[in-house]
Amino acid sequence: MRYSEAVRWLEAQRRAGRARGPQRAAAILAALGLEGGSRLVHVVGTNGKGSVAAYLEAGFCAAGARAGAFTSPHLVDLRERVRIGGAPVTPGEVTDFVHWARGSGLEGAFFDWMLAFALERFTARRVGWAALEAGVGGASDATMAARGVELVVLTNVGRDHLASYDGSLEALARDKAGAVRPGVPVVTAVTGAGLAALEARAAHVGAPLFRYDPADPLFRLPRAPALPGRFQQTNAALAAAALRLLGFPEQVVAAALEKVHLPGRFDRRRWRGVEVVLDGAHNPDAARALAAELPRYHLVFGAQPHKGPEEVLVPLLTGARSLVFTWPATGPLNGGAYEPEPQRALALAASRAQEDGEPVLVTGSLYLVGRLLGVGLLD
């Protein structure tokens, strides 16, 4: 089997209207005979999960452990979702797993299979510590099937994916908080309805709860995080607190902040003589944080229609000197031009940026960022 065929098979596996939950992933893990193995940190929340997971992965690597990470989405290659020792798994590992999966007779969605693949590889390659990034929810997420979780990070609870919870922020908050396991410490920066749900859940299951406080030594940053953006201060502090609670020394905490690498998140590059900033902001909270970092820019915006792109766009319009809509949007939302090909949309924005020296901001979806990186346009 070729790697490309294995990828096509994985991407064709759909939930097909079935309810979210860990049951299908648990059945796959049981068939693989996985009863545990790696020590895991479960990263849950609306924004910042990928950043926190990246800091943790860098810390585990700096500690000399065989480190793993399971994250989503990928930008260019599916193998980015499963990393061991800081590097993606090999194409051969993917094809071997898919060969087994196709003959297993089991059912699962893409995310179920990718989670099972990650945990199987972590066990086979003797990963000591791994960061495990949840998908959409908490209690209803496939990652709840994983054994060996020693700490939970709940970054925040925003309004993303509300449609999956009948528009109820309280229901979404309860689901996120449901990721808390009995007796397992929780580190969080959540506020509001999310905090109320989290405090209730933690008290119910006896989980120690550590709330973000920049004045608390637990959350102290020994150095500025390498990932840019003021919003990274909180993400880095959550990861630092998690590493300390797990017993890692201060030099590991500092190394995690210094050595972290995460393409596509407030990622500054140069193209045709102008600065291009790539970011995957796809909900209003992330868009507000992103807009606060750049006073003016030429905006290239492409969001999936089911993500409520109008709300995401509003905070970005204040600093936009010009606006081009592109894939995965299907047309313009609020003025501006529409260019379905991201490369041409970027070229149009860059031509405007060359005139006034302002940067180009590409955002709305990590899939858009990945499309531009995938063609080597911004290498």
Side-chain angles (χ1 to χ4, degrees):
M1 181 190 305
R2 294 182 177 181
Y3 173 64
S4 58
E5 181 185 349
V7 171
R8 283 195 299 272
W9 184 87
L10 286 165
E11 292 179 341
Q13 307 311 300
R14 304 292 183 185
R15 194 160 50 89
R18 294 171 294 188
R20 288 189 174 90
Q23 296 82 6
R24 289 181 296 275
I28 299 170
L29 294 176
L32 287 165
L34 298 181
E35 297 295 333
S38 303
R39 306 170 77 179
L40 306 174
V41 177
H42 195 192
V43 185
V44 185
T46 304
N47 300 114
K49 297 192 299 291
S51 297
V52 171
Y55 288 117
L56 291 170
E57 180 186 14
F60 298 153
C61 287
R66 185 181 291 272
F70 171 70
T71 60
S72 60
H74 61 275
L75 294 177
V76 178
D77 191 318
L78 174 142
R79 295 180 299 121
E80 298 167 29
R81 293 173 179 251
V82 184
R83 299 185 298 278
I84 297 175
V89 290
T90 67
E93 288 174 294
V94 177
T95 56
D96 286 348
F97 177 79
V98 170
H99 179 76
W100 174 86
R102 290 175 68 168
S104 69
L106 297 168
E107 292 186 350
F110 170 79
F111 193 82
D112 301 321
W113 288 112
M114 289 303 301
L115 171 66
F117 171 56
L119 295 174
E120 187 276 331
R121 285 294 84 199
F122 293 165
T123 298
R125 292 176 59 178
R126 300 185 181 278
V127 165
W129 285 96
L132 194 69
E133 181 184 346
V136 171
S140 65
D141 195 72
T143 50
M144 289 300 293
R147 305 284 182 88
V149 172
E150 300 206 0
L151 186 141
V152 175
V153 178
L154 176 51
T155 58
N156 71 331
V157 175
R159 303 184 67 83
D160 202 9
H161 300 292
L162 269 185
S164 299
Y165 299 89
D166 296 325
S168 170
L169 182 61
E170 290 73 20
L172 183 150
R174 287 193 298 272
D175 186 48
K176 299 280 190 189
V180 176
R181 294 157 168 84
V184 175
V186 186
V187 175
T188 189
V190 73
T191 58
L195 179 60
L198 179 58
E199 288 177 330
R201 171 67 180 174
H204 180 68
V205 301
L209 180 60
F210 300 88
R211 291 178 54 191
Y212 171 63
D213 178 355
D216 185 340
L218 179 66
F219 295 92
R220 180 182 64 85
L221 295 179
R223 54 154 291 146
L227 297 181
R230 281 168 287 182
F231 49 86
Q232 286 295 346
Q233 297 291 314
T234 303
N235 295 331
L238 292 175
L243 290 169
R244 290 182 177 119
L245 288 170
L246 293 170
F248 289 94
E250 284 301 307
Q251 60 264 33
V252 166
V253 175
L257 304 182
E258 178 185 6
K259 298 181 182 300
V260 65
H261 178 64
L262 191 63
R265 278 75 164 185
F266 205 70
D267 187 349
R268 294 178 181 267
R269 304 191 179 215
R270 303 274 319 167
W271 187 68
R272 294 189 178 179
V274 302
E275 181 181 33
V276 178
V277 180
L278 306 171
D279 194 88
H282 60 276
N283 57 56
D285 289 340
R288 279 190 288 272
L290 177 59
E293 297 293 327
L294 295 169
R296 291 176 301 278
Y297 42 80
H298 295 275
L299 179 61
V300 177
F301 184 83
Q304 299 183 72
H306 71 275
K307 289 283 189 178
E310 295 86 353
E311 290 185 82
V312 182
L313 181 62
V314 167
L316 295 167
L317 290 176
T318 303
R321 300 289 298 270
S322 68
L323 174 59
V324 184
F325 292 93
T326 190
W327 178 92
T330 55
L333 296 174
N334 187 358
Y338 177 68
E339 172 49 66
E341 278 299 319
Q343 298 95 313
R344 289 201 287 266
L346 176 61
L348 177 57
S351 68
R352 295 167 177 171
Q354 288 166 349
E355 296 175 0
D356 61 15
E358 301 292 354
V360 173
L361 173 60
V362 179
T363 193
S365 170
L366 276 172
Y367 294 104
L368 168 60
V369 172
R371 175 73 70 88
L372 291 172
L373 295 176
V375 296
L377 200 64
L378 293 165
D379 289 347

